[in-house]
Amino acid sequence: MRQSLRSVYDVQQLLKRFGVFVYVGERLWDIELMMDEIKKIYQHQLIDQQTYLSAMAVLKKEHEWEKERSNKND
């Protein structure tokens, strides 16, 4: 199952296909939980390595952006 992932929305749609819906209410925590879920799905061999790496890259980039944004607001 190879999929092009470019945004957090794309990762959310991938997770949704496995019945995973993430909403904690804090954007950073949502992203961290999505990372954990993607890892679990990959470990169970439900997605291929390319999809896993692509999803993690999107989430890591968004996580860093969100951390920077929250640090500026403090």
Side-chain angles (χ1 to χ4, degrees):
M1 169 190 309
R2 191 160 285 178
Q3 187 172 353
S4 174
L5 303 169
R6 296 188 182 125
S7 68
V8 173
Y9 177 78
D10 293 337
V11 176
Q12 288 173 319
Q13 294 307 303
L14 173 64
L15 289 170
K16 195 158 112 176
R17 289 175 34 198
F18 294 99
V20 177
F21 296 84
V22 174
Y23 181 75
V24 177
E26 178 69 37
R27 182 96 166 132
L28 271 175
W29 299 345
D30 288 346
I31 294 167
E32 291 168 3
L33 185 54
M34 283 187 262
M35 288 173 152
D36 288 342
E37 293 298 329
I38 288 292
K39 285 178 190 174
K40 289 176 189 174
I41 290 169
Y42 176 67
Q43 288 169 347
H44 286 92
Q45 300 177 351
L46 299 172
I47 56 175
D48 64 14
Q49 185 179 26
Q50 184 61 39
T51 302
Y52 168 73
L53 293 173
S54 179
M56 291 302 286
V58 166
L59 293 172
K60 285 177 184 176
K61 179 180 175 186
E62 190 70 19
H63 190 270
E64 286 300 314
W65 183 84
E66 199 62 42
K67 276 175 62 175
E68 286 177 21
R69 195 182 81 138
S70 69
N71 286 341
K72 286 180 183 176
N73 291 337
D74 287 342

